């Protein structure tokens, strides 16, 4: 571990004390015996006190000489000798103990790991199958994947991103199955990150993907270890990040966001049926509001006479156009969804249920919206939540407003133009060079639905 470039111990210690002055959790220990002395400097809020006491302080007084103590420290795989003051300070801030012994400066990793209990998945629920989710500790997450994927082909590469946050990342992949062009492109984009603070996996997705202004995610975030393992077995790459309970999966295609882990557990026909239900829900949540506007304002002759009269009777007391009615109710629904997310869990469910009932009933009785509109908004809200990956459901929530605007100005013609434009947009998207839609077609034709995930 020794290097040719030697850092002057006394000079480095004074520099370190100067840099860390006025920091309350800095701990300095002077160890002395008949053979010599050693000086320890570390952040007690970042270091494990048991590791420091057992591996450094107790050992110092048990070993006979300073040379043996130095050899003991160097025997740890996590020990290193810093080349310069910046490396010394950077490692101290992430949980290393600086050890000044004789004329040497050594670092020993003693980071305090606060690994919480493994919780069940909260955003990707399944009816059957494993229910554990990733934690905010990167070592625990690594253990959960290795426990499921026991082969030496599973490779891991460590990186740090964020100039200030120094967030740790682990890139995981199966060496025999991964697309190396995707792997190299990922490393290149991560190395080019210039952001100061990285705190969530979503930020990695936002900073590494092109174009920046997108409606749909091209990387998948998952909290399920079984989904991460499944994707690694299919040749994809997972990026684990410290301090977050989500893992990035790439490249991702459109079909991945409509696949739940239930599809792999159920019998194939049932899995196909469930996926078909999600695509139907996608169509309803995007198209139903805009079709309502088009049929009521531009093309009522397309519907059967009874349905047209039913809608017209329902809207008899509504004083404004159907587009305003749709946007008014959809925004009210968005407010309720946001409130349910931001409110404390103890009151969110009651508040949103009561708010929704009162809002819908009062608006209908006051003649502000029609009865049909209430049914439509409820259907749109339910179908939007059928999409299993939250990142995609957020993009879908925005997309339906684009279609409402098109139908408001152009009717059915605007909707058709919107569908064509949406398909062209999705076709133009790439996830690390892989077509967003084309891969879906190839996988379906060659190997069936089992290959998507």
């Amino acid at each position: 571990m020794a290097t040719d470039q030697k850092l002057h111990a006394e000079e480095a210690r004074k520099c370190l004390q100067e840099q860390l002055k006025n920091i309350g959790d800095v701990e300095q220990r002077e160890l002395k015996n008949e053979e010599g002395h050693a000086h320890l400097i570390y952040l007690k809020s970042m270091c494990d006190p048991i590791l420091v006491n057992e591996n450094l302080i107790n050992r110092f007084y048990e070993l006979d000489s300073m040379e043996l103590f130095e050899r003991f420290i160097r025997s740890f795989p996590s020990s290193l000798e810093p080349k310069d003051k910046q490396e010394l300070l950077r490692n101290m801030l992430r949980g290393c103990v600086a050890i000044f012994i004789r004329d040497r400066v050594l670092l020993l990793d003693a980071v305090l790991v606060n690994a919480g209990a493994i919780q069940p998945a909260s955003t990707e629920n399944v009816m059957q199958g494993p229910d554990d989710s990733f934690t905010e500790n990167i070592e625990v997450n690594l253990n959960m994947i290795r426990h499921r994927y026991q082969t030496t082909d599973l490779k891991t590469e460590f990186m740090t991103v964020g100039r200030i946050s120094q967030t740790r990342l682990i890139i995981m992949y199966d060496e025999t199955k991964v697309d190396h062009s995707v792997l190299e492109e990922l490393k290149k984009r991560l190395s080019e990150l210039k952001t100061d603070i990285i705190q969530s996996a979503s930020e990695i997705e936002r900073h590494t993907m092109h174009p920046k202004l997108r409606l749909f995610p091209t990387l998948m975030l998952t909290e399920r270890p079984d989904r991460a393992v499944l994707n690694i077995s299919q040749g994809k790459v997972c990026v684990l990040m410290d301090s977050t309970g989500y893992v990035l999966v790439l490249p991702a295609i459109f079909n991945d966001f409509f696949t739940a882990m239930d599809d792999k557990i159920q019998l194939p026909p049932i899995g196909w049926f469930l996926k078909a239900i999600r695509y139907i829900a996608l169509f309803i949540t995007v198209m139903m509001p805009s079709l309502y506007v088009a049929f009521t304002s531009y093309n009522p002759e397309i519907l059967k006479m009874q349905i047209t009269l039913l809608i017209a009777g329902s809207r008899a007391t509504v004083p404004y156009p159907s587009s305003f009615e749709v946007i008014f109710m959809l925004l009210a629904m968005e407010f309720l969804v946001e409130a349910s997310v931001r409110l404390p869990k103890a009151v969110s469910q009651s508040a949103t249920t009561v708010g929704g009932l009162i809002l819908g009933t009062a608006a209908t009785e006051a003649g502000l919206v029609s009865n049909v509109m209430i049914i439509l908004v409820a259907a749109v809200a339910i179908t939007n939540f059928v999409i299993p990956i939250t990142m995609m459901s957020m993009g879908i929530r925005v997309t339906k407003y684009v279609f409402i605007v098109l139908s408001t100005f152009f009717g059915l013609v605007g909707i058709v133009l919107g569908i064509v434009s949406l398909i062209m947009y999705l076709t133009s998207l790439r996830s690390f060079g892989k077509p967003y839609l084309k891969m879906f077609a190839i996988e379906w034709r060659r190997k069936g639905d089992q290959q998507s995930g």
Side-chain angles (χ1 to χ4, degrees):
M1 193 66 70
T3 59
D4 296 334
Q5 295 178 316
K6 182 180 174 182
L7 185 63
H8 191 275
E10 187 59 25
E11 184 182 338
R13 187 168 68 87
K14 290 181 179 177
C15 176
L16 204 57
Q17 290 173 330
E18 177 65 21
Q19 293 279 347
L20 299 176
K21 68 179 181 181
N22 298 328
I23 297 180
D25 57 341
V26 172
E27 184 81 0
Q28 299 194 45
R29 300 290 298 270
E30 191 75 29
L31 309 178
K32 291 183 179 178
N33 61 17
E34 293 79 7
E35 298 296 326
H37 71 278
H39 193 91
L40 309 183
I41 302 178
Y42 58 97
L43 296 173
K44 57 185 179 184
S45 60
M46 293 290 293
C47 296
D48 189 335
I50 297 176
L51 287 178
V52 175
N53 287 330
E54 291 185 354
N55 293 337
L56 294 176
I57 298 175
N58 292 347
R59 292 290 181 182
F60 177 83
Y61 293 106
E62 290 172 1
L63 297 173
D64 295 333
S65 68
M66 301 303 293
E67 185 179 356
L68 283 177
F69 181 60
E70 182 177 339
R71 287 182 185 175
F72 174 76
I73 296 171
R74 290 184 185 277
S75 68
F76 286 94
S78 58
S79 70
L80 62 96
E81 186 171 356
K83 296 176 182 176
D84 51 40
K85 297 171 186 173
Q86 288 74 23
E87 186 181 2
L88 172 65
L89 183 62
R90 186 172 63 250
N91 282 283
M92 271 205 62
L93 292 175
R94 73 172 182 84
C96 283
V97 180
I99 307 156
F100 299 87
I101 178 171
R102 299 194 292 185
D103 58 344
R104 291 285 185 182
V105 184
L106 300 177
L107 286 165
L108 181 67
D109 192 348
V111 64
L112 179 64
V113 177
N114 293 313
I118 296 175
Q119 302 291 331
S122 59
T123 60
E124 295 177 66
N125 297 321
V126 295
M127 289 186 289
Q128 298 174 343
D131 199 29
D132 54 346
S133 65
F134 287 119
T135 70
E136 294 188 351
N137 183 269
I138 196 169
E139 278 82 11
V140 175
N141 296 343
L142 181 60
N143 172 274
M144 294 169 77
I145 292 181
R146 280 214 176 274
H147 182 72
R148 289 176 163 89
Y149 205 90
Q150 299 180 13
T151 170
T152 55
D153 295 328
L154 181 62
K155 304 300 181 185
T156 56
E157 297 184 28
F158 290 74
M159 293 184 70
T160 58
V161 294
R163 190 180 62 84
I164 295 176
S165 61
Q166 291 291 309
T167 308
R168 291 188 298 159
L169 300 179
I170 300 179
I171 302 172
M172 298 190 73
Y173 56 91
D174 188 319
E175 191 178 32
T176 61
K177 300 177 178 178
V178 71
D179 187 332
H180 289 276
S181 63
V182 172
L183 185 62
E184 294 305 318
E185 181 65 21
L186 171 66
K187 294 179 188 175
K188 177 175 176 289
R189 293 187 189 183
L190 289 176
S191 63
E192 291 174 350
L193 270 180
K194 302 299 182 187
T195 309
D196 289 341
I197 302 291
I198 296 289
Q199 299 189 84
S200 69
S202 301
E203 293 177 74
I204 299 283
E205 194 267 347
R206 192 171 68 250
H207 289 301
T208 55
M209 293 310 296
H210 307 292
K212 302 292 183 187
L213 190 61
R214 285 171 288 121
L215 268 181
F216 302 101
T218 46
L219 293 183
M220 183 189 290
L221 279 176
T222 181
E223 62 169 352
R224 299 189 60 85
D226 53 347
R227 185 188 285 273
V229 168
L230 176 66
N231 281 276
I232 289 175
S233 70
Q234 294 171 349
K236 296 186 180 181
V237 183
C238 287
V239 181
L240 283 64
M241 180 178 162
D242 209 2
S243 304
T244 181
Y246 289 87
V247 166
L248 275 173
V249 179
L250 61 105
I253 60 173
F254 189 73
N255 186 51
D256 289 342
F257 297 94
F258 293 87
T259 304
M261 293 309 295
D262 277 327
D263 303 349
K264 310 299 177 186
I265 298 169
Q266 303 289 350
L267 296 172
I270 299 173
W272 301 335
F273 171 75
L274 293 175
K275 186 173 287 187
I277 289 291
R278 294 186 201 108
Y279 278 105
I280 293 171
L282 168 67
F283 178 81
I284 291 174
T285 195
V286 174
M287 293 298 167
M288 186 174 279
S290 55
L291 288 174
Y292 177 81
V293 174
F295 288 146
T296 54
S297 301
Y298 287 90
N299 311 96
E301 71 279 1
I302 294 180
L303 299 175
K304 292 183 68 175
M305 181 61 70
Q306 292 88 340
I307 298 177
T308 303
L309 292 175
L310 176 67
I311 296 175
S314 176
R315 296 197 70 253
T317 60
V318 180
Y320 35 71
S322 58
S323 58
F324 183 85
E325 181 188 12
V326 168
I327 292 175
F328 171 74
M329 286 307 295
L330 287 180
L331 285 178
M333 183 192 69
E334 300 287 359
F335 295 149
L336 284 172
V337 172
E338 280 300 301
S340 66
V341 174
R342 310 302 167 197
L343 282 171
K345 291 183 179 177
V347 298
S348 64
Q349 188 172 2
S350 302
T352 51
T353 303
V354 173
L357 289 173
I358 293 175
L359 183 65
T361 305
T364 306
E365 291 180 352
L368 296 175
V369 296
S370 63
N371 293 324
V372 175
M373 190 67 239
I374 298 296
I375 300 171
L376 186 146
V377 169
V380 169
I382 293 170
T383 50
N384 199 106
F385 294 126
V386 170
I387 300 169
I389 303 297
T390 308
M391 294 175 70
M392 177 58 77
S393 65
M394 293 293 182
I396 298 299
R397 278 171 65 180
V398 177
T399 304
K400 63 174 174 280
Y401 290 98
V402 177
F403 277 91
I404 291 172
V405 172
L406 289 173
S407 64
T408 301
F409 290 102
F410 306 107
L412 280 178
V413 175
I415 294 175
V416 173
L417 289 175
I419 293 173
V420 173
S421 302
L422 179 62
I423 293 174
M424 292 175 65
Y425 172 69
L426 291 174
T427 308
S428 70
L429 288 179
R430 296 288 184 274
S431 179
F432 282 88
K434 303 301 176 185
Y436 203 46
L437 292 182
K438 187 179 179 181
M439 281 178 62
F440 163 69
I442 289 175
E443 295 294 332
W444 184 278
R445 185 176 65 252
R446 290 180 178 175
K447 299 178 181 178
D449 199 31
Q450 297 296 322
Q451 290 298 317
S452 60

